[in-house]
Amino acid sequence: MKGEGRKHTTASPCAACKLLRRRCTQVCVFAPHFPADEPEKFASVHKVFGASNVSKLLREIAAQHRGDAVSSLVYEANARVRDPVYGCVGAITSLHCQIQVLQAQLAVARAKMVHLRTSNAAYLARFSHTAMATSSTSCTGSSFMSPAHKQLMEPDTTKSVFPLDLAMLDQSNLGEPPIWSSC
């Protein structure tokens, strides 16, 4: 009668109940997400958010979404412990800056590729023109040229040799002069 309202205890308390020094019950909201062998996981969440707030949050969330919520709480708590001011926003900002630097490096590499292709095309055009001028064959050079070579040979062609549209990339924040990159 008096013992009917009691909840049965588990063999080993979860990390939350162990840290809070309380009895872990079978319906403990922390037990599925904070196992006893990972005490640092709950310790950081408790330090940042508090056990009471986490308990309320987990009770309000549907059971199938609690695992994702706990993962987010642990990530944010660990980020807050590392960086108390910015938390995970600092990590996101850092990653965003890395993306911008890598995009700028990619643009530089693309610009170098365009430059090398243009230089190569100009060299081939000069070489083909020189070879045809010194050729002693009776056939005209234009009849043996492919359409691509003819396009390279024509100096006043309005169509681009390469299908890359060029656009200016602003690198003023990187301290370098602006470069050309393909879009």
Side-chain angles (χ1 to χ4, degrees):
M1 291 162 217
K2 200 173 189 182
E4 288 179 26
R6 286 191 181 174
K7 296 175 179 141
H8 300 277
T9 59
T10 58
S12 176
C14 67
C17 293
K18 196 180 275 188
L19 183 73
L20 299 173
R21 295 183 181 151
R22 67 181 191 187
R23 185 175 298 181
C24 190
T25 62
Q26 287 180 343
V27 293
C28 177
V29 72
F30 298 120
H33 310 291
F34 299 103
D37 59 344
E38 296 177 357
E40 69 283 347
K41 196 170 157 181
F42 181 75
S44 62
V45 170
H46 174 59
K47 183 177 181 181
V48 173
F49 298 108
S52 178
N53 291 332
V54 175
S55 174
K56 288 176 192 174
L57 179 74
L58 290 177
R59 284 191 182 114
E60 291 176 4
I61 295 175
Q64 68 266 21
H65 299 295
R66 287 181 185 167
D68 293 334
V70 168
S71 295
S72 295
L73 287 171
V74 169
Y75 182 80
E76 175 65 28
N78 289 334
R80 284 278 171 199
V81 168
R82 280 191 308 272
D83 185 1
V85 176
Y86 294 109
C88 67
V89 174
I92 292 168
T93 303
S94 172
L95 291 172
H96 183 67
C97 289
Q98 287 179 9
I99 288 171
Q100 289 178 334
V101 168
L102 291 172
Q103 285 176 337
Q105 290 174 354
L106 180 62
V108 168
R110 285 181 177 166
K112 286 180 181 179
M113 283 177 38
V114 168
H115 174 71
L116 290 173
R117 285 179 182 166
T118 306
S119 298
N120 189 29
Y123 174 76
L124 289 175
R126 252 185 292 147
F127 181 73
S128 296
H129 183 66
T130 306
M132 281 189 219
T134 59
S135 175
S136 61
T137 61
S138 62
C139 300
T140 61
S142 62
S143 65
F144 291 103
M145 275 204 272
S146 70
H149 283 117
K150 287 180 184 178
Q151 183 182 10
L152 289 172
M153 295 297 290
E154 297 174 7
D156 57 347
T157 180
T158 58
K159 187 177 177 185
S160 174
V161 176
F162 303 103
L164 297 174
D165 295 328
L166 298 177
M168 182 64 93
L169 175 70
D170 181 21
Q171 285 191 331
S172 59
N173 60 346
L174 298 176
E176 297 179 7
I179 61 164
W180 294 93
S181 70
S182 63
C183 295

